[in-house]
Amino acid sequence: MVDFIGSLDQGTTSTRFIVFDREGRVVASDQREHEQIFPAPGWVEHDPVEIWSMTTSVIQGALDKAGVSRDDLAAVGMTNQRETTVVWDAATGEPVTNAIVWQDTRTADLCKALESEGGRDRFRDRTGLPIATYFSGPKARWALDNFDLHGRAENGEVLFGTVDSWLAWNLTGEHVTDTTNASRSLLMDLETLSWDDDLCADLGVPPAMLPRIVDSVGEVAVCRGPLDGVPLTAILGDQQAALFGQVCFEPGETKNTYGTGNFMLMNTGTSPVGSTAGLITTVAYTGTGNGPVYALEGSVAVTGSLVQWLRDNLGIISEASEVEALALSVEDNGDVYFVPAFSGLFAPHWRPDARGVITGLTRFSNKGHIARAALESTAFQTRDVLEAMVSDSGVDVAEMRVDGGMTANSLLMQFQADLLGVEVVRPEITETTALGAAYAAGLASGFWDSTDQLRALWSEDRRWKSTMDAEQRDRLDARWKKAIGRSLDWV
């Protein structure tokens, strides 16, 4: 009997493969970073060939560390950075350009043109999404326009996909995507879970280049190459995978991931809930036998990457892990606020014209205040999203499950609980994107029997409770909102 599940986690900054056992514990992991390419202001690219090379390396690396072979894997699940767009040649499998990353804003003019005929919410009733540079459909259109590929795309000679499609193509030879990734394109109808011909026409993306949409949980194909013979039984966008890994299977259950950006998702059940407060409606997962499950989501572009910016651009820390000690060197933020709108503001503001500001500086201010303001900006942006989520859902959140690298920062987690006035709960396994892909793959392959069994595997590591009174919370939030105002109308 095979005793292991593999999980391929392809993220914004790195790729890793993790081997899990039947208790949902990590047996071994291997991880490699890939290059971040910035060709122009607001542009962010990755090399798809490098990502595939890293993928093959980490698969073998993790298997070697675990002392197992691919024959010991019951199945593999995949999770990926969403919206990042790859266009490649159907015959050769070679990318026609670098991948356009989810943070990239080069499609701003195209999005403005789309908005001119019906506003930012022109497609929201069908897609759950506003028109924004974030999503993959406009990125595909940009590639077609700028590389003169429309004719080839209409003939199916070049293919479009998000990173899951690119990796599935290389792993299995199948051109597929799952419902969670497809729901981030502005091309899929949320109700029918299929590509919409009218949306494709409006965005100028030919259906012939689109992948086949499959369930998030369910056998896709049998792998070849580095995972030869192993069934691929789950594909989920990274934030939906984290929701799955946090076992948020009931409506109202909410998780927040602290990674390159922050992503809060609330399970809203089997019917999509529209947003009037600046959130997006998305597919949470499909294929568990209970119909599609939907979520409300608030996406924040810059959180963990702001700590990298302090390290790489300002040089006030030499390692990301040093930011907490630097922030603790001061008693509070010294009335300094940092709005990291490097790529505009995502939810709930959706302001591509915003840019980053540090405000409230005096001669008293020092690098400790800047570090603290940077950390606190993550908590403030999360509060903005949670307020919108409560408004849209009508559900008062008493507990928020958190995961991702920044949850190791106790100062941030305590301030987060204080600012939200809700309990913040970290699980034992904080890298829940990979765990969610493993859970989904194991559920689809019969490695695990049910979502109830998965819920029993999840365990709590630490809980933070609010110690801040409401008056102070509201005073800080008012200052934050004032800082937000300073960041707007820059572009």
Side-chain angles (χ1 to χ4, degrees):
M1 182 175 68
V2 288
D3 289 319
F4 305 103
I5 285 284
S7 178
L8 175 59
D9 182 359
Q10 203 299 301
T12 307
T13 58
S14 67
T15 306
R16 62 185 170 169
F17 192 78
I18 301 180
V19 178
F20 290 91
D21 66 14
R22 288 190 177 273
E23 301 303 314
R25 295 175 302 215
V26 175
V27 178
S29 174
D30 196 38
Q31 184 168 356
R32 305 280 177 92
E33 290 191 3
H34 58 265
E35 183 182 4
Q36 305 296 309
I37 304 167
F38 305 103
W43 291 31
V44 189
E45 297 180 354
H46 294 156
D47 178 355
V49 174
E50 182 189 19
I51 286 177
W52 171 239
S53 175
M54 295 298 183
T55 298
T56 59
S57 295
V58 297
I59 289 171
Q60 193 57 55
L63 292 174
D64 289 346
K65 289 178 183 179
V68 301
S69 74
R70 60 190 180 225
D71 296 333
D72 296 309
L73 300 178
V76 64
M78 179 194 304
T79 180
N80 60 286
Q81 53 168 319
R82 305 168 303 174
E83 298 93 20
T84 296
T85 298
V86 186
V87 178
W88 68 94
D89 187 294
T92 67
E94 293 296 317
V96 298
T97 181
N98 277 338
I100 304 173
V101 178
W102 58 273
Q103 300 154 311
D104 190 286
T105 59
R106 74 185 67 185
T107 59
D109 288 342
L110 173 58
C111 289
K112 284 181 183 178
L114 291 169
E115 289 177 21
S116 68
E117 298 183 29
R120 182 176 299 168
D121 291 331
R122 175 182 175 186
F123 306 129
R124 187 184 282 272
D125 60 336
R126 281 173 288 171
T127 67
L129 311 175
I131 296 170
T133 60
Y134 183 23
F135 304 114
S136 59
K139 299 180 195 297
R141 167 65 183 277
W142 186 94
L144 297 181
D145 288 348
N146 285 270
F147 291 90
D148 193 24
L149 295 171
H150 283 279
R152 296 190 66 205
E154 288 169 359
N155 293 329
E157 295 172 11
V158 292
L159 304 178
F160 154 78
T162 40
V163 174
D164 61 306
S165 298
W166 169 246
L167 293 179
W169 171 270
N170 282 283
L171 276 172
T172 71
E174 296 288 326
H175 186 211
V176 296
T177 190
D178 89 299
T179 49
T180 66
N181 282 288
S183 73
R184 321 293 297 197
S185 63
L186 284 168
L187 299 170
M188 190 193 83
D189 187 298
L190 269 184
E191 297 278 1
T192 65
L193 303 178
S194 60
W195 302 121
D196 184 289
D197 288 341
D198 291 336
L199 290 170
C200 290
D202 288 336
L203 268 72
V205 177
M209 73 182 309
L210 300 179
R212 175 170 56 93
I213 299 175
V214 299
D215 279 331
S216 317
V217 184
E219 184 160 342
V220 177
V222 176
C223 294
R224 58 191 186 185
L227 289 171
D228 189 37
V230 180
L232 173 63
T233 59
I235 303 174
L236 293 129
D238 53 9
Q239 302 313 317
Q240 286 91 338
L243 189 76
F244 211 90
Q246 289 277 32
V247 295
C248 293
F249 300 134
E250 295 297 324
E253 293 182 330
T254 304
K255 73 88 194 175
N256 197 32
T257 296
Y258 296 73
T260 303
N262 263 37
F263 303 89
M264 186 185 300
L265 273 74
M266 174 188 284
N267 182 323
T268 59
T270 55
S271 298
V273 174
S275 175
T276 60
L279 303 180
I280 62 175
T281 306
T282 193
V283 176
Y285 52 86
T286 59
T288 57
N290 299 315
V293 175
Y294 295 91
L296 281 169
E297 176 176 335
S299 307
V300 176
V302 177
T303 56
S305 56
L306 180 56
V307 177
Q308 294 175 325
W309 186 84
L310 295 179
R311 179 194 66 192
D312 300 338
N313 293 52
L314 290 193
I316 65 173
I317 53 175
S318 57
E319 298 290 341
S321 58
E322 296 172 5
V323 70
E324 183 173 12
L326 182 56
L328 283 168
S329 70
V330 294
E331 292 185 3
D332 54 35
N333 67 9
D335 203 33
V336 174
Y337 291 81
F338 195 154
V339 182
F342 297 158
S343 300
L345 290 170
F346 285 12
H349 310 284
W350 297 109
R351 292 292 296 264
D353 60 299
R355 284 298 178 266
V357 298
I358 304 174
T359 188
L361 293 171
T362 67
R363 285 291 297 273
F364 172 72
S365 307
N366 61 38
K367 61 184 180 180
H369 295 113
I370 292 175
R372 193 161 189 133
L375 285 181
E376 290 185 353
S377 72
T378 294
F380 282 117
Q381 291 179 100
T382 296
R383 175 173 164 132
D384 289 346
V385 169
L386 185 63
E387 287 177 341
M389 199 158 280
V390 170
S391 173
D392 278 335
S393 68
V395 175
D396 287 324
V397 175
E399 173 185 293
M400 186 173 70
R401 293 186 172 183
V402 298
D403 53 72
M406 293 184 82
T407 61
N409 190 310
S410 295
L411 172 64
L412 173 59
M413 291 298 98
Q414 183 58 59
F415 186 72
Q416 187 71 90
D418 287 341
L419 200 61
L420 297 181
V422 304
E423 296 187 2
V424 170
V425 184
R426 184 178 69 195
E428 285 194 4
I429 297 179
T430 58
E431 301 301 343
T432 52
T433 53
L435 181 62
Y439 278 172
L443 190 65
S445 63
F447 188 80
W448 289 301
D449 295 332
S450 65
T451 54
D452 287 340
Q453 185 182 8
L454 297 180
R455 193 181 287 277
L457 294 176
W458 185 92
S459 58
E460 178 181 323
D461 173 51
R462 186 170 175 186
R463 181 179 296 258
W464 289 267
K465 298 181 179 181
S466 178
T467 59
M468 184 181 290
D469 62 59
E471 183 179 350
Q472 183 183 7
R473 187 181 301 134
D474 291 343
R475 179 181 63 80
L476 292 173
D477 189 57
R479 300 293 280 176
W480 165 254
K481 286 181 167 55
K482 191 173 183 179
I484 285 280
R486 298 287 193 268
S487 75
L488 303 178
D489 298 313
W490 190 262
V491 178

